[in-house]
């Protein structure tokens, strides 16, 4: 299957990154979000990223213009029938995703592939909201999307081999390295990463060390490029909590119990970089 046009649903950090890499790879991109403000902000963010690439000599002015011209924004999912592949990248909340997939299923031709960028929710359950379970698949991009080379590709129970191969090829066309993983809570990336972040939060909660000390140990002692608490702030503490809750519910194992301090910070609105404060304070 040749995929020339991609629709991305969601104008958050992940959606913006997916749009940028898709347009940069030469694909026509439809970008949908119910918020015109979010779409405009997303376009500005992409333009800023492209300006940085120009400043480093990696991109010309004409190439930047061409990339931006390949992006078309829309507030409606009705335009999804123009795309061969739709990638959903909205909040990690199953009812929201299922509602979007039901609407996409009604709008798109039967051959359209419907992908979700979920980082932890079951692909099979999302697919069950449609009448095309064989056309639904997981494409879990890493954050920040323009920089990170990995895409986890996750089959649902009924995902066809043809769909898997088409999405694997698209990932390569986007300059990414696709890795197949199975449909288990958290897949591989977050099943390994989030318990580490959660344990780092426990060390702060229990008074073992300060956030700065925990991050320094992991950076200097384990050669991590970013400390786990810095990373949690970048991801968003609300997202970290949501993933831990999915792992805890999915496996029924106490080792995935979210740290009480993580819950407290989220309830207090300390969500990390996006709110200006998490384990660290951030200025605009």
């Amino acid at each position: 299957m040749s995929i020339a046009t991609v629709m991305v649903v969601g104008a958050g950090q992940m959606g913006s990154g997916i749009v940028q890499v898709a347009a940069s790879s030469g694909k026509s991109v439809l970008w949908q979000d119910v918020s015109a403000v979010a779409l405009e902000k997303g376009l500005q963010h992409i333009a800023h990223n492209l300006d940085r690439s120009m400043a480093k000599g990696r991109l010309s002015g004409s190439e930047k213009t061409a990339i931006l011209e390949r992006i078309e924004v829309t507030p409606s999912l009705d335009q999804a029938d123009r795309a061969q592949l739709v990638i959903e990248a909205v909040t990690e909340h199953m009812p929201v995703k299922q509602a979007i997939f039901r609407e996409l299923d009604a709008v798109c031709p039967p051959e359209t592939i419907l992908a979700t960028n979920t980082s932890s929710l079951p692909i099979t359950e999302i697919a069950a909201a449609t009448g095309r379970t064989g056309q639904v698949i997981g494409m879990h991009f890493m954050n920040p999307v323009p920089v990170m080379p990995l895409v986890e590709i996750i089959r649902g129970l009924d995902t066809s081999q043809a769909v898997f191969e088409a999405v694997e090829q698209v990932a390569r066309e986007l300059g990414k390295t696709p890795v197949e993983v199975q449909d288990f809570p958290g897949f591989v990336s977050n099943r390994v990463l989030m318990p580490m972040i959660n344990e780092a939060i426990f060390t702060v909660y229990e008074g073992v060390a300060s956030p700065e000390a925990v991050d320094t140990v992991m950076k200097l002692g384990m050669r991590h490029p970013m400390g786990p608490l810095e990373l949690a702030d970048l991801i968003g503490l609300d997202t970290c909590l949501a993933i831990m809750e999915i792992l805890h519910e999915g496996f029924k194992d106490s080792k995935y119990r979210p740290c009480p301090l993580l819950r407290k910070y989220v309830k207090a609105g300390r969500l990390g970089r996006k709110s200006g404060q998490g384990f660290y304070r951030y200025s605009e």
Side-chain angles (χ1 to χ4, degrees), residues 47-84:
H48 175 70
N49 285 346
L50 297 177
D51 285 339
R52 291 174 61 186
S53 294
M54 287 175 58
K56 295 176 181 178
R58 299 173 182 169
L59 195 71
S60 69
S62 61
E63 288 171 329
K64 173 193 170 182
T65 299
I67 290 169
L68 293 175
E69 286 178 346
R70 284 193 285 269
I71 303 170
E72 177 184 344
V73 300
T74 174
S76 173
L77 286 176
D78 291 344
Q79 298 295 316
D81 62 353
R82 295 164 52 193
Q84 294 84 48

